[in-house]
Amino acid sequence: SKGSSLAFGQVVIGPPGSGKTTYCQGMQEFLGRIGRKVTVVNLDPANDSLPYQCSLDIAELITLPDVMEDLKLGPNGGLIYCMEYLEANCDWLQEKLATSRGHYYLFDCPGQVELYTHHNALKNVFAQLAKWNFRLAAVHLVDSHYCTDPGKFISVLCTSLSTMLHVELPHVNVLSKMDLIEQYGKLAFNLDYYTEVLDLSYLVDHLASDPFFRNYRRLNEKLVEVIQDYSLVSFVPLNVQDKQSMRQVVQAVDKANGYSFGDQEHRSLEALMSAAVGADFHFTSTLAVQEKYVQSQDKALEEEAMDL
């Protein structure tokens, strides 16, 4: 039947250094422990060091160093060529994926932002996967250190919104490396302000205290208006080393790609109700991370007081 031929998975995207490969490794281990058969697909032709067990590697088709050497292209142009080459050889991808049909898929994608905001090659590959009955959700990773800088956070919101509109997949934005957030500096607001993207006018006011950004207040107000008018962007906090945090992300992704509504594994009444009413706004996960963050800040202040 058509329902039994469905395949579910995640398209892991995000800027360079946001933790995509580490996420795929952690998610592969986590899903394996809860009984899912996981296939990781590396679609990054520049990733030559894979810490996870990779079932399908784009390096079998094309690699970035070869393209740069043969066609005399730079890294950005070479990466775009690789994605266009993959799009032109989707039959190769279909043949390789057929060997692991019935598994849960993690697609580890390149880190070039333009591929998800302007270029159409990967978008067309995702559309082709949908035609093959793949039900995918885009997991967009953003480094949590951007929360400590209001200007960068507004930029991240614009990038996330542009990616959501361009990729055209169910979307889950994730603040990665939450275990390191206390090292980045003190947040201007509580963590839930950033995860739920609350009233951004406060962020514009905070920016106005900087002499440089004061001259661009009107521009920042218009950018914030665009983000709030769409009202699409929110974030799930993630610490890959924390099981509860991973579970929250899995729940959000399963709702997005429809896995929660399938019969692939046992589903509790609580999980079904949460998926049905959409009442889980990640408050619990955000609160837990916020408590850890506040405790670490308090501990640091105590240590400074003792040193004085």
Side-chain angles (χ1 to χ4, degrees):
S1 65
K2 182 178 180 180
S4 62
S5 65
L6 293 178
F8 294 89
Q10 307 176 24
V11 173
V12 185
I13 61 180
S18 57
K20 296 183 295 298
T21 299
T22 302
Y23 172 87
C24 288
Q25 180 186 15
M27 187 59 66
Q28 181 185 41
E29 295 176 359
F30 182 84
L31 294 177
R33 289 176 181 174
I34 63 175
R36 297 190 194 179
K37 297 180 179 179
V38 182
T39 292
V40 182
V41 180
N42 176 43
L43 294 184
D44 186 357
N47 195 351
D48 56 358
S49 178
L50 301 175
Y52 49 73
Q53 182 180 353
C54 182
S55 303
L56 173 56
D57 193 348
I58 193 177
E60 300 175 16
L61 178 69
I62 192 171
T63 64
L64 180 60
D66 290 343
V67 169
M68 293 174 61
E69 181 179 353
D70 295 342
L71 301 181
K72 308 304 178 185
L73 294 173
N76 291 334
L79 198 52
I80 289 176
Y81 179 88
C82 290
M83 294 301 100
E84 292 176 344
Y85 191 82
L86 174 64
E87 179 189 2
N89 290 273
C90 274
D91 54 340
W92 171 85
L93 183 62
Q94 183 179 25
E95 180 182 348
K96 292 292 185 178
L97 291 173
T99 60
S100 56
R101 199 65 174 177
H103 289 199
Y104 188 94
Y105 294 87
L106 298 174
F107 293 88
D108 188 3
C109 298
Q112 189 175 356
V113 176
E114 294 81 7
L115 293 173
Y116 315 112
T117 58
H118 298 84
H119 202 257
N120 288 325
L122 266 181
K123 173 185 174 181
N124 294 336
V125 172
F126 299 154
Q128 188 62 55
L129 288 169
K131 293 179 181 179
W132 299 335
N133 276 339
F134 280 79
R135 298 296 178 260
L136 303 173
V139 179
H140 184 222
L141 298 183
V142 174
D143 197 318
S144 59
H145 87 268
Y146 290 118
C147 295
T148 61
D149 188 317
K152 290 181 180 179
F153 187 66
I154 291 178
S155 299
V156 162
L157 292 175
C158 292
T159 302
S160 299
L161 178 59
S162 179
T163 301
M164 295 175 75
L165 297 176
H166 184 75
V167 173
E168 297 180 348
L169 283 177
H171 211 89
V172 177
N173 293 302
V174 174
L175 282 176
S176 62
K177 305 180 183 178
M178 290 304 301
D179 53 318
L180 303 176
I181 190 170
E182 66 270 10
Q183 300 179 14
Y184 298 139
K186 186 175 178 59
L187 298 179
F189 306 98
N190 287 338
L191 186 61
D192 60 343
Y193 177 86
Y194 300 93
T195 56
E196 300 301 331
V197 188
L198 301 177
D199 189 352
L200 295 178
S201 62
Y202 293 103
L203 208 60
V204 175
D205 293 337
H206 189 73
L207 270 176
S209 61
D210 189 316
F212 175 79
F213 288 106
R214 189 178 300 132
N215 298 327
Y216 300 96
R217 182 185 180 94
R218 185 62 177 165
L219 173 61
N220 291 327
E221 288 176 348
K222 289 301 180 182
L223 290 174
V224 163
E225 285 179 13
V226 171
I227 296 167
Q228 292 185 324
D229 286 346
Y230 275 98
S231 190
L232 291 175
V233 184
S234 62
F235 295 94
V236 182
L238 171 66
N239 175 5
V240 174
Q241 299 176 351
D242 183 68
K243 294 180 181 179
Q244 179 66 16
S245 179
M246 291 289 285
R247 188 178 70 85
Q248 293 288 345
V249 173
V250 169
Q251 287 181 341
V253 175
D254 285 351
K255 292 178 191 178
N257 63 18
Y259 189 89
S260 294
F261 305 98
D263 57 358
Q264 284 76 10
E265 61 183 22
H266 174 71
R267 299 163 298 162
S268 65
L269 178 61
E270 179 184 358
L272 279 175
M273 289 300 295
S274 177
V277 302
D280 182 8
F281 295 102
H282 318 302
F283 176 77
T284 304
S285 59
T286 303
L287 181 62
V289 175
Q290 177 68 27
E291 288 178 350
K292 292 180 180 179
Y293 173 76
V294 172
Q295 289 173 1
S296 64
Q297 289 290 328
D298 292 342
K299 184 178 179 181
L301 291 175
E302 290 177 0
E303 292 177 351
E304 289 180 4
M306 292 179 64
D307 291 340
L308 293 175

